[in-house]
Amino acid sequence: MTEHITLFPTTVLKQTRQVSSTEKDIWFDLFLKHSNANGESSDYIGFEQLHLEESVSDFYSDTLTKAVNEYLKMLSVSTSMNLNIYLTKSWFNVTNRAGINNHNHAEHHISFVYYPHVPQGNDAGFVLLHGGKHPNEPYDGFLAVNTFDQNQFNATQCNLPVSEGTLYLFPSDLYHHIDADYQPIQGFHNKQDLNNSRVCVAGDILLTAQHSTYQRALPPLENWQKLNGNI
């Protein structure tokens, strides 16, 4: 008898919700507020504080918070007594049919992408890649060229479907991109531009210990001391 024992999968949480026209309009307004004169918005150019906007507080405090807790629950991680969860930044990635370059958010712990608006024909997949040597590889790169089918034992990347209302949570150090040709940040100047484009809200999360007892976590934030003054 042969038995397959899967030991080291990567856990990604997916949720899908209905997006009302009112919610879409709120996100469109926020893009126009959190963008420059060229109609560009991204954390790369300093627009990363969407989570501080009152008009979308329910998304962050309810929808996202519940999703993060569900993600940690899948890992059997308890946050009730041991961990604090900090959303450090959130921003827009809006594209027409262009891709986004391959990158990760390795300075954080958990990242998310949420799609409040996806027009027909602009549903290119969200691709996650395994970094470095896969646990089942004899050496780095072996599985990418020597397998005839992708499965849970050999996958070095996964193309996840994107549809309106989809929310994904994943480890921040995973490299990811959009399955389309890369283009630099694009400009969108009005709601009609946005209505014809794919709107993604992204963000990063850090986990810290609630107490000063060693538990293999960042110490409580209130105990941190800044050493470089006002530099």
Side-chain angles (χ1 to χ4, degrees):
M1 182 182 73
T2 300
E3 181 180 3
H4 294 160
I5 301 173
T6 305
L7 296 178
F8 307 116
T10 298
T11 300
V12 176
L13 179 138
K14 176 184 179 182
Q15 291 186 351
T16 304
R17 62 196 298 264
Q18 293 293 319
V19 184
S20 68
S21 58
T22 300
E23 181 187 345
K24 287 187 185 184
D25 203 51
I26 290 172
W27 288 116
F28 289 177
D29 282 336
L30 287 178
F31 179 92
L32 298 176
K33 178 181 177 180
H34 290 258
S35 56
N36 62 21
N38 296 320
E40 302 164 335
S41 182
S42 168
D43 61 329
Y44 286 106
I45 55 176
F47 295 100
E48 58 181 32
Q49 298 182 347
L50 288 178
H51 55 292
L52 302 182
E53 293 284 353
E54 181 64 28
S55 60
V56 286
S57 61
D58 285 350
F59 169 76
Y60 292 102
S61 63
D62 184 30
T63 301
L64 180 62
T65 298
K66 289 178 179 177
V68 172
N69 283 318
E70 181 62 28
Y71 178 84
L72 294 173
K73 183 179 177 181
M74 287 194 302
L75 301 175
S76 295
V77 174
S78 172
T79 62
S80 59
M81 295 295 292
N82 299 320
L83 295 172
N84 284 323
I85 304 169
Y86 289 97
L87 175 63
T88 66
K89 61 178 185 172
S90 183
W91 65 94
F92 283 110
N93 277 325
V94 178
T95 61
N96 45 40
R97 286 181 170 79
I100 294 175
N101 65 321
N102 195 39
H103 65 286
N104 69 16
H105 305 187
E107 73 279 9
H108 283 80
H109 298 148
I110 301 170
S111 296
F112 75 88
V113 290
Y114 169 59
Y115 297 89
H117 181 66
V118 180
Q120 187 173 5
N122 197 348
D123 56 353
F126 176 63
V127 182
L128 289 169
L129 296 95
H130 184 282
K133 179 181 173 298
H134 190 284
N136 289 333
E137 288 187 301
Y139 52 84
D140 188 10
F142 174 85
L143 291 175
V145 296
N146 289 294
T147 54
F148 59 84
D149 186 33
Q150 178 176 292
N151 58 44
Q152 62 182 322
F153 306 108
N154 66 17
T156 57
Q157 70 175 47
C158 183
N159 192 323
L160 298 171
V162 170
S163 60
E164 192 166 283
T166 300
L167 170 67
Y168 285 115
L169 274 78
F170 54 96
S172 295
D173 62 352
L174 282 183
Y175 276 90
H176 52 281
H177 64 270
I178 300 300
D179 189 20
D181 292 337
Y182 167 72
Q183 289 186 18
I185 298 174
Q186 301 154 78
F188 304 91
H189 300 276
N190 52 56
K191 289 187 179 181
Q192 187 58 45
D193 287 348
L194 295 168
N195 193 57
N196 293 328
S197 304
R198 164 167 151 163
V199 178
C200 173
V201 177
D204 289 332
I205 292 164
L206 282 176
L207 305 175
T208 69
Q210 290 185 0
H211 311 289
S212 295
T213 55
Y214 181 76
Q215 62 182 70
R216 192 67 174 172
L218 288 173
L221 184 61
E222 58 268 23
N223 294 341
W224 295 15
Q225 181 179 10
K226 187 176 181 181
L227 297 181
N228 63 341
N230 296 320
I231 296 175

